[in-house]
């Protein structure tokens, strides 16, 4: 038996992902480094030390950017 793929589609997950993408785009305008930290650390799974090496900044700065980005995204996504 064939089952249409749309039966498995999770429109809520799709909508959340779209909101996250839009929020990351806005974050990139506010703080491009913080947005890049989110991409590398959260989505690519790179640890903070390697993110720091990749971006050429200290691990302390990456931790600051990560903390800021998480707070900013949480506030932004809770408004939508």
């Amino acid at each position: 038996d064939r089952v249409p793929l749309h039966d498995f589609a999770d429109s809520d997950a799709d909508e959340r992902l779209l909101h996250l993408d839009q929020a990351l785009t806005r974050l990139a305008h506010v703080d491009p480094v913080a947005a890049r930290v989110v991409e590398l650390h959260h989505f690519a799974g790179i640890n903070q030390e390697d993110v720091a090496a990749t971006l050429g900044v200290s691990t302390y700065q990456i931790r600051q950017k990560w903390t800021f980005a998480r707070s900013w995204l949480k506030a932004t996504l809770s408004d939508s």
Side-chain angles (χ1 to χ4, degrees):
D1 294 303
R2 288 186 174 201
V3 177
L5 288 178
H6 62 81
D7 288 349
F8 293 105
D10 183 354
S11 61
D12 288 339
D14 292 343
E15 190 171 319
R16 285 191 307 268
L17 187 57
L18 179 60
H19 286 294
L20 177 58
D21 181 58
Q22 292 168 345
L24 276 173
T25 299
R26 291 194 310 264
L27 177 60
H29 286 89
V30 172
D31 189 334
V33 175
R36 191 74 178 126
V37 168
V38 172
E39 292 169 352
L40 293 172
H41 182 60
H42 184 71
F43 293 107
I46 300 172
N47 67 39
Q48 291 181 350
E49 290 78 16
D50 290 341
V51 171
T54 299
L55 298 180
V57 297
S58 71
T59 303
Y60 177 76
Q61 288 173 303
I62 295 302
R63 288 185 181 128
Q64 286 181 315
K65 295 293 184 180
W66 175 247
T67 299
F68 167 74
R70 285 180 38 206
S71 297
W72 192 93
L73 287 169
K74 182 178 180 181
T76 300
L77 292 171
S78 67
D79 290 341
S80 54

